[in-house]
Every structure is written in C-alpha cells, then in structure tokens.
Amino acid sequence: MAREFRKVGVVGLGTMGAGIAEVLASHGVEVVAIDLSDEALARGRTQVRNSTDRAVARGKLTADDRAAIFDRVVFSACLDDVKDADLVIESVPENLDLKREIFAELDRICNAEAILATNTSSLSVTEISAATQRPAQVVGTHFFNPAPVMRSVEVIRTVLTDAEVVADVERLLERLDKISITVGDKAGFIANALLFGYLNQAVAMYESGYATREDIDTAMRVGCGLPMGPLTLLDLIGLDVAHDILEALFNESRVRRHAPVPLLRHMITAGLLGRKTGRGFYTYETPDSSVAVADAHTSTEEQQVAGARRVDQVGVVGADSVAQSVLVTCARAGYPVVLLPYGADTADVVLDAIEEDLDRSVASGRIDELSKKAALQRITVAAGYADLADCDMVIEAVQGSVDDKRAVFAGLDGAVKPGAVFATVTSAVPIIDLAMATSRPADVVGAHFCMPVPGGQLVEIVQTIATAPDVVSTAHAFCRRLGKQAIRCRDRAGFLVQALLFPHLGDAVKMLQARYATVDDIDAAMKYGCGYPMGPFEMLDQNGLDNALAVQTRLYEEYRDPSFAPAPLLEQLVKAGYLGRKSGRGFRDYDD
Ligand code: 3HC
C-alpha cells in the first residue's frame, strides 16, 4: 500500500526550508513548519508571503488560494509538533552533528511509519540516517533554489533505504509537480557535483582578473543561454553554502577543481555571503533582494569604449560560413565592407551565399527588401591585400592552419594603413601567435563571434599580452554598433565561454563514465534543477563531441590541470565517429 502524505513537517525555515514548505502547502499538503526562534519563524513566514504575493501579482495565484496556502501551514518553535507527520523534511544548516542530533530527536518523536528526509546538499545521507533506528526510512530530498520555481528534486537513496520508501517519496514529488531524479549517496549528487566545479572555476577566473564579474556572467548567460551567470548564481545560493559544498566535493574527489578558491573564504569572512546579506560578488538593493545595484566595481559602457578609434570601413578576409556571417552582420549594421575571398571559393560563390542569407532574412520578416539591397551594395570585392589599404578594421576569418592565418596577418601588415585594427575570429589558436606575424601586435585583437554569428549575440573580445587598450575599446565599440554584446577576456585557451563550458560538460561525461547516473538523468538534473536550456549531453551532441574534445585537450595542454583532461569515454566516442547530431549519433541517436 502506497503511503499517503497528509501532513509533512519541515524543520529549518531558511531559504530552502521556507520554499519547500510553500511547495507542499500550495499542493494541498498540511505543513508543520519548525524553526528555533520566533524571529526565524517570522523570516520563514515573510519569505512565503513575498513569494506568494509575487504569484498573486502576476496572476498565477488568487488571493483565496494564497489564504488557503497559509491556512495549511502551522508555524511552530516546538519540534514535538511534527509527531503525527507522515514525512519530515529537515533543512537546517549543513552541520553533520546538528543534523544527526535532529534526526535522533525526530526518530524519537515521529510515529514508526514516518519517513525522515534531509535536504542536505553536501553531507552524507547515510551518515545522517545512522543517527536513527530507522535507516530504511531515511532518504535525501534535494530541492533546488528557489524551491517553488525549480522543477526537479534529487531523491537520494542510501544502501539501506527501502525501495518502497523511495517510490512513495517519488509519488509525493509527482503530486508536487516536481520531476524526481533518484541517485545514490555520493557527494554533490548529480547537479551540485557538476555545477560547483564550474562555479568554482568562474570564481578563480574572477579572482585572477581574467575577466570582470559582469563579463563572466554575460558570457554564460548570453553565450550558452544559461538562466544566470555563475557569479550571480553563487550570490543566490550563498557563498557559505557554496563553500561547504565544495569542501564536501573536494573531500571525496580530491581534485583541484573542487578545492574552494581562496576568494570564497575571504568573502565569507568579510560577511559577503551573497543576496542574503545584500552583498556578494554584486551589491544588492537590500539584504534578500535580487536587484543588483552599481558599486565601486561597476564600469559604464562609456568607460568601456573610451578612446576607441574611428571605424568607417571594414575589411573581411575569408570565404566560409563564418566569414560570410561576419560580412553580412557588418553590412547590415551600415559599414561599407571590402571582402577579400580566401581559399577555393570565389567572390561570386561568397556573394551568392550572402544574398541567399539575406533573402532568408527578408522571407522571415527580419529585414525588408530595401535593407537587403542596401546591405548588398555596401559590399565590394578586393583583388588583393592592397585593396584593404584604407580599412579601419580588418577581420580575419579564414579557414586554415596557424601558418595560413599568420600569412594573412603578414599580408595585411604590409598593405593596410597604420592605425587600423586587425581582428581575428579564431577560437582555436592563441591570438598572440597571429599578432606576432605583424610588425604591430598592439593593433591585433581577438573578436570571437559566438555561433551562429547573425543570431548569436555574443562576441568575446580577446586581449593579448600586447594589445593596446584603445584597440580593445575600438573592438568593443565596433561590436556594439553590430548590435552584439561584447565581453572581454584574456588570450587563453577557450577564452571565456568555452573555457568554462567544456570542462563543465566534460565533468558530466566523467560522471557517466563512472556510471553514477544515466544520460537522461544527468540532462534532467541540469535542465530542471538549474534551468539549463539543454542538458550537458544535449549540448555536447549539439556542439560536436570532436569540438568538445579539441577544446578540452587545448585547455589541458595549456594548464596541465588534470581536471581539464578529457574523459577517455569522450575520446573513444570521437574515435568511433560518434560526433553528435552532425554524425547522427553521439550520446544519443538522431535520425534527422
Ligand atoms: N521564490 C519564488 N518564486 C520565484 C523566486 C523566488 N525566490 N524567484 C523567481 N521566482 C519566480 C517568479 O515569480 C517568476 O514566476 P512566474 O514565471 O510564474 O511569473 C519566475 O520565477 C521567473 O522569475 P523572474 O522573471 O523574476 O526571474 P528570472 O526569469 O530571471 O528567473 C530564476 C529567476 C528562476 C531564479 C532563474 O534565473 C533560474 O532558473 N536561475 C537558475 C537557478 C539555479 O540554478 N538554481 C539551482 C541552484 S543549485 C541549488 O539550489 C542546489 C543547492 O544545494 C545549492
């Protein structure tokens, strides 16, 4: 007989506990919400009130429904009040002794059939369960922040948990409209084990001055479609919570990727815990607010383009789809563009492809016929480097080896006027290798247009050790005129987006290889627990496993950090020709 969950206790009304209480009550479950002090109870009640107020304001909930939610919750400072609950979910701070003490108490207070669950994100559910006489009725129910919004919950079964108990909890979660993902008891479970290595790497980048906090966040939001950038997410989660999770991960994995970056500890010591204290990586209007305000680290758009050189005419060298897209983007933004075709394709082939691309834009209503004609008229074809002599900005977008690209840069160096900016769209070779093929490395900058160029909004502006500041400003102002979001980073393998994304996806492959979870469960955990637009394996299949392997190999070769080494499973799949969507088979099969 499946258990009925009429009444559920929630112990600990911090952000997660209050959110869990709200989820339960809004799905018709009676809740006994426990915390130690009147102050803590009031804070929990305020959180539920704010959240339900917002839902009422957005028309998602009626005032009557909200009243019913509050009618279902009894707030109490007395743990004994959970005695007739069918399930108790503990959500107190991440302290093993405290949790074990509470579980021992709950074991004594609750009736023999009750299930005891912990929302721990970093401690062992098995160790917690050992504080009770009923380890078979102890599970983890790991909710994600904000609990009312995120769709999945990880259910943790220990080696002692009864299969029926797991099934009953899964059924309850279904009733709460949550997708349950059931896994074994391992540090970080699925989502945190994958998420926190990536978040920690973002902190390391920020700490080293690799990029600004805004650029790191924009890179992952705009470049990868994630709902939040990593530093904003850390502020939401709380830096103290993040630190505990990283410690737990490191204690189990012993990999450097999980060793908390020192900056985290310093910020915690200084009381910068994130949104809850009003300051973390960003400064917020008030404690608990989600609205970030400008502070001493905020730079204005004007500062970013200060000293930019004037760009009136653009040159593009190349012929393939990237070159075509850059060309169209520049022409549509109003720049006269000189095309120097490179490789086997003639100018006619390139121009035909561009016209087709513009026709598609007209057909889909993105531009009109007049704009198409004007864009085409802005493009002229060069016969050689000399025809690019008057360009203020020349973009190299050739398909070829480093030597091919260096030859292009040497050609430009000999022909183009002094003061012009040379940009390269490459993401596969260090920009400095290309800059040193010219006599003016200070004028060379990377401009990595994230794909697809016309649709993709992000350009990574890559500054080498030699790039002049006004050249970076010029590239920034230029990208802004193209309607792109520009971020800046250093000339290191993977720049910003790929350097953060691919090791993160690589961790998912390592988790699969270790047989901890399936492709579907890993994808679901990240999509529904963290709001990713696609799961890690969907992203890998989409991006190409060979590309992922190449980026991870470059990162590993550059940093020699074993955490960046690609998983043998990824190497084997690539060797077998399983490259993802483009080959019809990757982590999944495709027939389209
Ligand atoms: N409580 C309740 N509801 C909230 C909320 C909160 N704290 N924050 C946002 N919402 C609701 C809004 O009311 C809105 O609801 P509606 O669509 O029904 O009108 C919806 O969420 C979207 O909110 P906004 O439009 O204000 O803001 P965004 O579109 O920027 O979404 C977000 C906010 C849902 C938090 C989104 O940015 C997101 O998904 N971020 C990723 C969060 C994430 O990764 N969580 C997991 C962290 S790891 C973790 O929790 C594990 C732990 O162990 C550390």
Side-chain angles (χ1 to χ4, degrees), residues 272-286:
L272 311 181
L273 304 187
R275 283 187 190 181
K276 59 187 165 191
T277 57
R279 227 180 119 187
F281 289 100
Y282 297 90
T283 303
Y284 297 89
E285 255 176 359
T286 56

Side-chain angles (χ1 to χ4, degrees), residues 51 54 58 60 121 142 145 149-150 192 228 233 529-530:
S51 177
R54 190 167 27 200
R58 293 186 184 219
K60 304 270 172 184
S121 51
H142 181 229
N145 188 1
V149 185
M150 307 320 287
N192 283 353
M228 280 180 166
L233 182 55
C530 303

Side-chain angles (χ1 to χ4, degrees), residues 236-290:
L236 170 77
I237 292 167
L239 272 55
D240 49 344
V241 174
H243 192 273
D244 286 346
I245 293 171
L246 283 164
E247 284 287 3
L249 287 170
F250 181 77
N251 284 337
E252 200 164 286
S253 71
R254 302 282 163 183
V255 299
R256 198 178 139 203
R257 186 163 172 76
H258 295 143
V261 170
L263 178 65
L264 280 175
R265 161 131 315 284
H266 287 260
M267 290 177 73
I268 293 164
T269 308
L272 311 181
L273 304 187
R275 283 187 190 181
K276 59 187 165 191
T277 57
R279 227 180 119 187
F281 289 100
Y282 297 90
T283 303
Y284 297 89
E285 255 176 359
T286 56
D288 287 325
S289 162
S290 60

Side-chain angles (χ1 to χ4, degrees), residues 10 30 37 87 106 144 179 200 210 243 277 284 291 309 320 369 405 407 416 430 453 503 528 573 578:
V10 177
E30 302 286 323
S37 63
L87 162 73
L106 290 172
F144 293 88
I179 296 163
N200 203 34
Y210 188 86
H243 192 273
T277 57
Y284 297 89
V291 182
R309 299 178 192 172
D320 75 347
E369 193 64 37
K405 286 174 183 281
V416 182
V453 179
Y528 306 122
L573 287 166
Y578 299 167

Side-chain angles (χ1 to χ4, degrees), residues 190-397:
I190 297 178
N192 283 353
L194 296 183
L195 188 64
F196 279 85
Y198 146 69
L199 297 181
N200 203 34
Q201 190 192 342
V203 178
M205 280 183 164
Y206 177 62
E207 184 182 55
S208 70
Y210 188 86
T212 64
R213 58 187 181 180
E214 287 85 359
D215 283 354
I216 292 171
D217 279 347
T218 303
M220 300 314 283
R221 225 172 10 83
V222 181
C224 301
L226 303 188
M228 280 180 166
L231 303 178
T232 305
L233 182 55
L234 279 164
D235 275 357
L236 170 77
I237 292 167
L239 272 55
D240 49 344
V241 174
H243 192 273
D244 286 346
I245 293 171
L246 283 164
E247 284 287 3
L249 287 170
F250 181 77
N251 284 337
E252 200 164 286
S253 71
R254 302 282 163 183
V255 299
R256 198 178 139 203
R257 186 163 172 76
H258 295 143
V261 170
L263 178 65
L264 280 175
R265 161 131 315 284
H266 287 260
M267 290 177 73
I268 293 164
T269 308
L272 311 181
L273 304 187
R275 283 187 190 181
K276 59 187 165 191
T277 57
R279 227 180 119 187
F281 289 100
Y282 297 90
T283 303
Y284 297 89
E285 255 176 359
T286 56
D288 287 325
S289 162
S290 60
V291 182
V293 293
D295 60 17
H297 302 289
T298 310
S299 63
T300 62
E301 192 75 17
E302 279 56 47
Q303 286 166 328
Q304 288 168 343
V305 299
R309 299 178 192 172
R310 199 184 154 101
V311 176
D312 291 322
Q313 184 165 201
V314 180
V316 174
V317 187
D320 75 347
S321 57
V322 177
Q324 291 165 17
S325 300
V326 172
L327 198 66
V328 169
T329 306
C330 294
R332 277 182 51 189
Y335 285 110
V337 200
V338 187
L339 162 69
L340 178 60
Y342 181 95
D345 286 340
T346 61
D348 287 345
V349 174
V350 178
L351 292 175
D352 285 350
I354 286 172
E355 191 160 359
E356 270 175 38
D357 185 60
L358 287 166
D359 281 338
R360 277 194 295 275
S361 296
V362 172
S364 65
R366 270 175 290 156
I367 58 170
D368 57 24
E369 193 64 37
L370 268 179
S371 315
K372 174 194 138 182
K373 281 213 175 86
L376 283 173
Q377 276 165 3
R378 287 188 201 108
I379 301 173
T380 52
V381 178
Y385 291 113
D387 291 339
L388 299 172
D390 292 331
C391 291
D392 307 293
M393 160 82 68
V394 183
I395 303 170
E396 171 273 310

